[in-house]
């Protein structure tokens, strides 16, 4: 922060700016816009004097971007109800690397495969810090894997990966747990007896049970009251368990104190439940819109697995079409479009611009997954994006739903295993039905800042 503003001052400005962001409604009022233009005109000089010029003088060329207002930065350009589209507009105007201000905090926005890869992979150490984002800090404080940095993060991440590996991630026992959970899901879905139901809760109970069996050693019955409370009140989750994970008791000088272990477990729960179940929910909606694609997946299942045994991860390499469909579901669903914020670990030069240490960074995954240089019709659903002309599975470097580099999703292996086993087990057992004409199913995202399918009713018909 040397040469910028004092940290305390930044914190106060940040807090007031974010409370202002929370209170701002998008404004379509022309008169007010004029007032703001005038306000902007008057305040530009002040702001330039206050921050930009100082930083330009000290650091050199800063990335382009919209002119920020004092204290509130660019919140007028970043409509809270339509954040993704606001970023897309700025991307068209300023190019792949630009800067916006959240309050007084400069935020670097990276767009498209080339620059995101150059930052996260080619300059992994510089861009591998976690950004201090108020929402994340509020949820997890400074404990756990997602929000921490430095030695604390390194040790917690290594610990979590090793523990999951010891429990069998990538090995057979986790696969068996998922297979078992998928059968419970089939049993539960059979109870619906051809009626329509909202799949949200069915899927989130299944995916959180997979994490439960890894971190607690057991799954929960679907109707278990404690489990239901757990799912509804994840933020009070820490109270429901304590000692099993503590190797060391309250020792604040140790990384492995209660708070960190509880938060790391919570991290796995939060990061691993919603993400995987949202992808499944999105996937089933997409398959209802394209019954011919679902039909081809079912044919491949019948051919490779048959009806007499559960799908296993080993089957994936023999099922290129299904593999391509699942990749395309993840690409299209794009459920973490803005990524989780990163920060720059040291002053650095990037793409000809100077980026000061501590700058928050959004490596926009949506612009990678929908990069027209890598995907022919990025906004259409097309499993052909992951198939070659001979029908074999084809990798694509811009497939980055789990991000890339040092902070790449810790649960990638687990999530990919879950997606394959849940999709194939459900389609082995059921045909998906909808009340709508498939053409009328809307598969665009139902949210503005994160991606999630619109709510829908599903009906499953046993195949055998
Ligand atoms: C389809 C499912 C999932 C998707 C799309 C997904 C996506 C992501 C993304 C985009 C990040 C941020 C990476 C970055 O900062 O560059 C992330 C981080 C993380 N994910 Fe996942 N995730 C999924 C499932 C899971 C599962 C099942 C787990 C639990 C085992 C998990 C645990 C984590 C953790 C702990 C982090 C923080 C890593 C760190 O800061 O070092 N995720 N995930």
């Amino acid at each position: 922060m040397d040469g910028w503003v004092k940290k305390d001052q930044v914190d106060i400005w940040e807090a007031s700016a974010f409370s202002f962001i929370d209170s701002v409604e998008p404004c379509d009022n022309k008169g007010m816009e004029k007032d703001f233009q005038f306000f902007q005109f008057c305040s530009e000089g002040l702001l330039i004097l206050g921050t930009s010029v100082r930083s330009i003088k000290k650091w050199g060329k800063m990335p382009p971007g919209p002119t920020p207002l004092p204290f509130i930065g660019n919140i007028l350009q970043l409509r809270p109800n339509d954040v993704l589209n606001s970023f897309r507009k700025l991307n068209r105007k300023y190019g792949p690397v630009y800067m916006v201000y959240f309050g007084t905090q400069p935020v670097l926005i990276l767009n498209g495969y080339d620059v995101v890869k150059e930052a996260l992979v080619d300059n992994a150490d510089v861009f591998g810090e976690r950004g201090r984002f108020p929402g994340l800090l509020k949820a997890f404080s400074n404990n756990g894997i997602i929000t921490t940095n430095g030695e604390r993060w390194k040790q917690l991440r290594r610990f979590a990966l090793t523990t999951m590996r010891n429990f069998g991630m990538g090995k057979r026992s986790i696969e068996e747990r998922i297979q078992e959970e998928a059968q419970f899901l089939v049993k539960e879905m059979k109870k619906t007896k051809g009626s329509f139901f909202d799949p949200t809760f069915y899927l989130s109970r299944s995916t959180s049970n997979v994490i439960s069996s890894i971190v607690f050693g057991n799954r929960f019955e679907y109707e278990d009251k404690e489990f239901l409370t757990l799912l509804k009140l994840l933020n009070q989750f820490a109270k429901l368990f304590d000692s099993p994970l503590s190797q060391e008791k309250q020792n604040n000088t140790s990384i492995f104190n209660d708070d960190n272990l509880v938060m790391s477990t919570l991290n796995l729960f939060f990061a691993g439940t919603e993400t995987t179940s949202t992808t499944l929910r999105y996937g089933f909606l997409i398959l209802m819109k394209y019954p011919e694609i679902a039909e081809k997946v079912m044919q491949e299942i019948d051919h490779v697995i048959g009806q007499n045994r559960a799908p296993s991860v080993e089957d994936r390499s023999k099922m290129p079409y299904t593999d391509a469909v699942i990749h395309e579901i993840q690409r299209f669903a794009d459920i973490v479009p803005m990524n989780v914020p990163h920060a720059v670990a040291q002053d650095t030069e990037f793409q000809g611009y100077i980026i000061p240490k501590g700058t928050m960074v959004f490596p926009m995954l949506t612009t990678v997954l929908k990069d027209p240089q890598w995907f022919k019709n990025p906004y259409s659903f097309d499993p052909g994006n992951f198939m070659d002309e001979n029908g074999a599975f084809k990798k694509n470097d811009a497939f980055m739903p789990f991000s890339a580099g040092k902070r790449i999703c810790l649960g990638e292996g687990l999530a990919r295993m879950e997606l394959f086993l849940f999709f194939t087990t459900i389609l082995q057992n059921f045909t998906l039905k909808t009340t709508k004409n498939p053409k009328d199913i809307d598969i665009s995202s139902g949210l503005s800042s994160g991606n999630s399918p619109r709510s829908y009713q599903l009906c499953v018909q046993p195949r055998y």
Side-chain angles (χ1 to χ4, degrees):
M1 277 303 180
D2 181 28
W4 284 56
V5 278
K6 281 207 180 86
K7 191 182 168 303
D8 289 349
Q9 208 174 342
V10 169
D11 286 346
I12 293 165
W13 289 357
E14 196 178 302
S16 55
F18 272 100
S19 58
F20 185 67
I21 290 175
D22 284 342
S23 68
V24 162
E25 289 291 322
C27 144
D28 288 311
N29 183 318
K30 289 258 157 33
M32 263 181 87
E33 261 178 23
K34 275 196 175 154
D35 289 346
F36 268 122
Q37 277 167 10
F38 178 66
F39 178 47
Q40 185 166 3
F41 174 72
C42 296
S43 53
E44 254 171 30
L46 177 72
L47 182 82
I48 288 169
L49 225 77
T51 54
S52 303
V53 159
R54 208 157 0 133
S55 50
I56 289 166
K57 240 168 121 184
K58 181 165 170 65
W59 300 107
K61 196 174 160 199
M62 299 288 280
T67 308
L69 292 171
F71 307 113
I72 63 170
N74 295 116
I75 66 157
L76 299 180
Q77 285 98 345
L78 302 172
R79 293 170 165 241
N81 290 350
D82 201 11
V83 179
L84 271 182
N85 267 330
S86 309
F87 277 126
R88 280 192 197 113
K89 259 189 217 157
L90 293 173
N91 179 196
R92 282 196 291 275
K93 184 159 181 193
Y94 296 104
V97 179
Y98 65 87
M99 188 85 106
V100 292
Y101 285 76
F102 289 178
T104 54
Q105 182 167 29
V107 183
L108 183 69
I109 312 291
L110 303 179
N111 299 277
Y113 173 78
D114 290 344
V115 291
V116 170
K117 185 236 172 204
E118 185 179 334
L120 297 188
V121 180
D122 304 342
N123 293 286
D125 285 333
V126 178
F127 284 87
E129 293 270 298
R130 178 63 72 220
R132 290 175 58 80
F133 198 65
L136 274 181
L137 286 174
K138 209 170 165 185
F140 298 123
S141 65
N142 204 18
N143 289 309
I145 305 157
I146 298 181
T147 43
T148 45
N149 279 314
E151 196 52 32
R152 175 187 283 238
W153 164 76
K154 208 185 267 175
Q155 291 208 29
L156 288 172
R157 187 170 165 115
R158 195 180 302 145
F159 173 75
L161 275 171
T162 314
T163 310
M164 290 213 286
R165 217 165 273 141
N166 290 343
F167 271 111
M169 183 148 109
K171 291 189 197 157
R172 213 167 146 60
S173 67
I174 285 278
E175 181 179 0
E176 278 167 1
R177 284 163 208 250
I178 302 171
Q179 285 171 328
E180 185 196 29
E181 199 56 49
Q183 294 306 327
F184 278 113
L185 179 60
V186 167
K187 217 168 119 192
E188 201 64 15
M189 284 187 168
K190 276 191 178 151
K191 289 187 195 161
T192 61
K193 294 198 163 63
S195 58
F196 283 88
F197 61 95
D198 179 345
T200 310
F201 206 40
Y202 286 74
L203 298 173
S204 63
R205 281 185 300 186
S206 304
T207 54
S208 56
N209 250 343
V210 171
I211 306 278
S212 297
S213 73
I214 295 168
V215 296
F216 308 134
N218 65 287
R219 66 180 292 280
F220 293 86
E221 288 302 320
Y222 287 146
E223 302 311 324
D224 186 308
K225 278 204 180 115
E226 196 179 30
F227 185 44
L228 299 178
T229 312
L230 182 72
L231 289 178
K232 283 184 188 146
L233 306 168
L234 269 177
N235 57 346
Q236 290 177 15
F237 183 46
K239 290 180 195 149
L240 291 177
F241 64 97
D242 53 359
S243 55
L245 288 171
S246 320
Q247 286 130 324
E248 297 177 53
K249 278 281 170 193
Q250 285 297 1
N251 170 3
N252 289 332
T253 58
S254 163
I255 286 164
F256 297 103
N257 59 33
D258 285 356
D259 287 348
N260 259 326
L261 290 172
V262 167
M263 275 305 168
S264 297
T265 311
L266 261 185
N267 280 186
L268 298 183
F269 237 93
F270 272 113
T273 296
E274 268 313 296
T275 45
T276 316
S277 68
T278 302
T279 309
L280 288 169
R281 199 165 82 245
Y282 219 137
F284 289 127
L285 183 68
I286 291 170
L287 292 177
M288 290 200 309
K289 183 168 180 71
Y290 300 107
E292 67 286 0
I293 294 178
E295 185 58 40
K296 277 180 84 172
V297 172
M298 290 193 281
Q299 279 171 14
E300 199 172 56
I301 291 170
D302 292 349
H303 180 66
V304 176
I305 306 168
Q307 285 296 321
N308 299 322
R309 66 170 177 87
S312 72
V313 172
E314 237 182 69
D315 297 318
R316 184 161 46 195
S317 60
K318 290 171 243 147
M319 299 174 68
Y321 187 74
T322 306
D323 205 6
V325 168
I326 296 173
H327 275 75
E328 181 65 356
I329 286 172
Q330 281 207 271
R331 185 197 73 78
F332 184 89
D334 182 15
I335 62 159
V336 197
M338 292 168 61
N339 209 333
V340 182
H342 285 229
V344 175
Q346 63 197 57
D347 300 341
T348 188
E349 195 180 331
F350 184 73
Q351 292 263 326
Y353 301 114
I354 298 296
I355 317 294
K357 176 181 174 174
T359 301
M360 202 197 296
V361 184
F362 278 89
M364 303 286 280
L365 294 181
T366 186
T367 63
V368 181
L369 295 171
K370 309 268 164 80
D371 188 331
Q373 311 259 25
W374 290 81
F375 301 102
K376 230 189 314 166
N377 296 308
Y379 290 92
S380 306
F381 184 82
D382 178 10
N385 280 322
F386 296 95
M387 305 205 78
D388 70 13
E389 51 291 350
N390 303 317
F393 178 79
K394 183 182 73 181
K395 273 193 169 169
N396 187 317
D397 288 347
F399 177 75
M400 249 188 225
F402 299 101
S403 190
K406 264 172 78 168
R407 286 280 181 170
I408 191 169
C409 172
L410 184 140
E412 174 180 4
L414 176 63
R416 296 199 52 217
M417 207 187 272
E418 283 189 70
L419 292 178
F420 179 77
L421 294 177
F422 279 119
F423 273 124
T424 50
T425 306
I426 294 302
L427 291 174
Q428 181 188 43
N429 284 277
F430 302 110
T431 308
L432 311 175
K433 294 278 169 203
T434 163
T435 41
K436 289 191 174 176
N437 181 336
K439 285 198 184 77
D440 297 334
I441 293 178
D442 182 356
I443 56 170
S444 64
S445 170
L447 288 179
S448 64
S449 55
N451 280 337
S452 178
R454 285 155 204 280
S455 61
Y456 68 93
Q457 298 281 310
L458 173 67
C459 165
V460 292
Q461 213 168 55
R463 293 183 62 203
Y464 295 92

